[in-house]
Amino acid sequence: MSISGHIEALYRHESRRVLATLIRLLGDFDLAEEALQDAFAAAVSQWPRDGIPDNPRAWLISAGRFKAIDRLRRRARFDASLDELALRFEQAAEMPDLDLTVEDDRLRLIFTCCHPALSEQARVALTLREVCDLTTEEIASAFLIPTPTVAQRIVRAKAKIRDARIPYRVPEKGELAERLDSVLQVIYLVFNEGYFPSSGDVPTRADLSSEALRLGRLLLSLLPEPEVGGLLALMLLTEARRAARTDAAGDPVLLDDQDRSLWDRALIAEGENLVEQALRSRRFGPYSLQAAIAAVHAEAASPEQTDWAQIVGLYDVLLRAAPSPVIALNRAVAVAMRDGPQAGLALVDGLLDAGELRHYYLAQAARADLCRRLGRVAEARDAYRAALALCQQGPQRVFLEKRLAALANEKNVSAAVESPRS
Amino acid sequence: MKYLCLVYAEEESLHSLPDSPEDDECQAYADSLAETGKMLGGAPLEPVHTAVTVRVRDGKTSITDGPFAETKEQLTGFYLIDARDLNEAIRIAENIPPARVGSIEVRPVRELQVTPKST
């Protein structure tokens, strides 16, 4: 490999590690990013002449640190307080053993970018920028928001890290669970935006989902907690269905109608293995339970063979661990599959009456589907219309419109036509 | 009798109006008050976007970005603390007893940018 090719590969594989360590050494995101660029520029100019150093990562960190001191010195001509800072970096103790601390630095970077003192949007943007090395433009286009909005979120997040002194540290044991929640939430949000985009005309965005999977794998390697494995399992088991989730026209296909031969068996096996480990640890949480539900679906060779009793049981545990109306809705749909649409509809109507799901299109869509199966055509139509009024996502709208059109010529029929599935 | 004087202003315009206070002026006033023995403590705050709100319910701490106290909540007290970083500040805040029923807004204190006195 040519030296420039070598440096390019090094940038791809090592730049986030080098950045994470420089942020710790320099205590400032922007200074560390400039130092990172300076260090690679120095490599490009020096390595062809001097050869590739024995430990390129250590060389880059060291070069970045000295370049940052140079920058501070130059700026100190205008701001005397920086002179002191530059001196402090110069006098800092010998570089610690790099290989021992460098993985900790990546974990520090993740926890700092996902600190709960930052808004969820800021956490997502900062994590994708700093940990995943996505450009501001890439983040903006993935989330369909203007680039300056993303840039502003990142600038503000960095300012808050500095001004509120959000530490560059892995949380201590007592605070780890809560902080980890905040990290897992960011990763799952990125995954879901790739798998179920909240708006726009494409049904899935594989790029965001694959970033989330990479983040999940990285976090699990750095912090092998059961819930991290649970989240990775949930994402893998969901990702496994991607090819079957849309038809040739790009329209969404419901789980029951999917061609299960298209499911990715390697991802399913990896996911199932992780779920089992998480459940065995007895320290699992909501992500592991959702992954267990996805695993039950994955195990069924056909929709009819799905173990709905087990799924309802898992939802019961999940509702106790993480009470939420959306989970209650999913449970109601599972109950409908176990006990018949009448039983499911009673639960869905109870949730809609409680009010929290009134503006959630999937609740109206679930009601519509259960009414349709019960032959209550007029109510099904009303619910499909209510769902359409709430849904912003192109392909999902097409699906709902098709269902509504299919009901156009039907009249109310007896509820007895559909028997509960086993 | 001790009194707490709370400073309210529109953050966006606080430092840009013709009559806006200068940091030097604020420091001088605080110094003059301290000389009379009537100043017990005080500090300017970083802007509101640096805030974080801590609540404890059923023994579980929740942390949200921003100063999102419920509008029906009123300021009922304050702690001025010295913590190593935001994580330590949050740990101290979650043990403030009213965190269990109200909210504790944690705001970093700003350093006044005082012009060095020539000697």
Side-chain angles (χ1 to χ4, degrees):
Chain A
M1 199 193 290
S2 70
I3 287 195
S4 67
H6 192 90
I7 293 174
E8 264 173 49
L10 206 59
Y11 189 90
R12 269 200 309 282
H13 298 297
E14 299 283 355
S15 76
R16 298 300 103 185
R17 284 197 182 89
V18 174
L19 177 71
T21 299
L22 285 172
I23 293 172
R24 173 169 56 79
L25 294 173
L26 301 170
D28 184 280
F29 275 73
D30 291 330
L31 190 61
E33 273 162 40
E34 289 166 354
L36 177 75
Q37 303 308 325
D38 287 348
F40 273 94
V44 169
S45 73
Q46 291 176 30
W47 292 3
R49 186 187 65 217
D50 304 341
I52 296 168
D54 293 340
N55 185 342
R57 190 199 299 162
W59 189 96
L60 288 162
I61 292 168
S62 174
R65 188 161 153 270
F66 284 111
K67 294 286 178 187
I69 292 167
D70 287 347
R71 275 181 185 270
L72 284 175
R73 284 247 178 275
R74 282 200 300 276
R75 283 181 213 162
R77 284 179 217 151
F78 309 100
D79 182 351
S81 69
L82 292 175
D83 210 24
E84 208 178 302
L85 199 60
L87 196 67
R88 212 178 70 218
F89 289 144
E90 269 180 341
Q91 291 169 341
E94 281 293 290
M95 298 273 282
D97 187 343
L98 287 167
D99 287 329
L100 277 179
T101 57
V102 79
E103 294 304 328
D104 283 352
D105 284 335
R106 303 193 83 187
L107 202 50
R108 283 189 185 99
L109 181 59
I110 292 172
F111 274 105
T112 301
C113 290
C114 295
H115 198 283
L118 302 172
S119 74
E120 199 174 80
Q121 294 171 328
R123 273 184 255 158
V124 167
L126 197 61
T127 304
L128 289 174
R129 177 73 202 91
E130 305 297 328
V131 183
C132 303
D133 199 21
L134 262 56
T135 63
T136 313
E137 290 76 15
E138 284 167 339
I139 300 166
S141 79
F143 284 89
L144 304 177
I145 43 180
T147 302
T149 307
V150 176
Q152 194 184 38
R153 280 178 193 166
I154 292 174
V155 167
R156 286 206 174 147
K158 287 179 186 167
K160 183 159 185 174
I161 289 171
R162 186 182 60 236
D163 296 339
R165 205 179 292 178
I166 292 176
Y168 198 60
R169 220 156 13 104
V170 176
E172 288 160 29
K173 220 168 182 179
E175 51 188 23
L176 184 66
E178 216 239 313
R179 296 304 157 81
L180 187 57
D181 272 355
S182 176
V183 176
L184 298 179
Q185 194 189 355
V186 166
I187 298 176
Y188 197 41
L189 209 118
V190 172
F191 179 81
N192 273 334
E193 190 58 32
Y195 201 80
F196 311 100
S198 52
S199 58
D201 294 326
V202 288
T204 68
R205 279 199 217 105
D207 45 352
L208 276 183
S209 295
S210 62
E211 281 307 327
L213 284 169
R214 261 181 30 198
L215 264 173
R217 288 183 204 279
L218 171 67
L219 185 62
L220 187 65
S221 72
L222 297 172
L223 189 72
E225 283 287 307
E227 230 357 35
V228 181
L231 172 62
L232 180 56
L234 174 58
M235 296 193 296
L236 289 166
L237 289 162
T238 312
E239 181 67 20
R241 303 201 289 252
R242 183 181 293 276
R245 227 192 124 234
T246 46
D247 61 20
D251 293 332
V253 181
L254 288 184
L255 186 60
D256 274 10
D257 303 328
Q258 288 178 9
D259 175 358
R260 297 185 177 216
S261 70
L262 295 175
W263 289 1
D264 186 325
R265 290 287 144 194
L267 293 183
I268 289 173
E270 190 186 354
E272 283 177 334
N273 187 25
L274 286 165
V275 180
E276 278 164 28
Q277 283 178 33
L279 295 184
R280 239 182 286 129
S281 76
R282 307 235 149 244
R283 291 192 296 124
F284 55 84
Y287 291 112
S288 304
L289 287 164
Q290 291 178 76
I293 292 167
V296 177
H297 283 298
E299 278 157 17
S302 69
E304 293 72 28
Q305 285 167 284
T306 308
D307 186 348
W308 289 107
Q310 201 188 344
I311 289 180
V312 172
L314 286 165
Y315 271 122
D316 288 338
V317 183
L318 181 57
L319 258 183
R320 278 198 297 277
S324 105
V326 172
I327 290 170
L329 176 69
N330 289 335
R331 180 183 175 276
V333 173
V335 168
M337 297 308 289
R338 187 189 62 179
D339 302 339
Q342 188 67 57
L345 186 60
L347 292 171
V348 171
D349 283 346
L351 289 166
L352 283 168
D353 287 343
E356 280 182 274
L357 293 180
R358 204 164 287 160
H359 301 294
Y360 188 58
Y361 86 87
L362 286 172
Q364 294 292 351
R367 178 168 211 283
D369 188 53
L370 293 171
C371 287
R372 181 184 62 81
R373 283 158 54 187
L374 287 165
R376 289 156 64 168
V377 176
E379 283 178 80
R381 273 194 214 119
D382 286 348
Y384 277 125
R385 287 194 193 102
L388 272 166
L390 295 168
C391 177
Q392 302 299 319
Q393 216 264 328
Q396 294 295 340
R397 292 185 58 86
V398 172
F399 173 82
L400 293 168
E401 276 159 5
K402 268 192 208 160
R403 280 287 162 107
L404 184 57
L407 288 178
N409 300 318
E410 289 198 28
K411 294 199 170 64
N412 279 0
V413 292
S414 158
V417 290
E418 200 157 347
S419 59
R421 300 195 204 193
S422 55
Chain B
M1 186 72 197
K2 289 172 181 151
Y3 293 94
L4 179 67
C5 302
L6 299 168
V7 183
Y8 289 93
E10 283 181 32
E11 239 172 45
E12 299 293 318
S13 57
L14 175 62
H15 297 292
S16 56
L17 299 170
D19 223 13
S20 284
E22 297 291 333
D23 281 6
D24 285 340
E25 182 193 0
C26 295
Q27 187 66 54
Y29 182 65
D31 288 345
S32 71
L33 211 51
E35 274 169 36
T36 66
K38 293 186 188 296
M39 177 84 173
L40 302 179
L45 300 177
E46 290 286 354
V48 88
H49 70 78
T50 61
V52 46
T53 302
V54 180
R55 294 185 184 85
V56 179
R57 297 292 183 272
D58 301 323
K60 211 173 169 288
T61 304
S62 82
I63 299 162
T64 44
D65 68 299
F68 300 131
E70 305 254 347
T71 44
K72 60 177 192 271
E73 292 175 338
Q74 284 85 34
L75 185 68
T76 56
F78 78 105
Y79 288 69
L80 183 63
I81 59 166
D82 187 6
R84 181 181 52 187
D85 55 39
L86 186 64
N87 282 7
E88 194 186 19
I90 288 172
R91 270 206 305 286
I92 292 170
E94 70 188 4
N95 288 313
I96 294 176
R100 298 193 301 269
V101 289
S103 350
I104 311 296
E105 179 181 332
V106 180
R107 280 274 286 283
V109 161
R110 181 172 75 88
E111 297 287 326
L112 284 174
Q113 301 295 309
V114 180
T115 317
K117 289 196 180 97
S118 49
T119 46

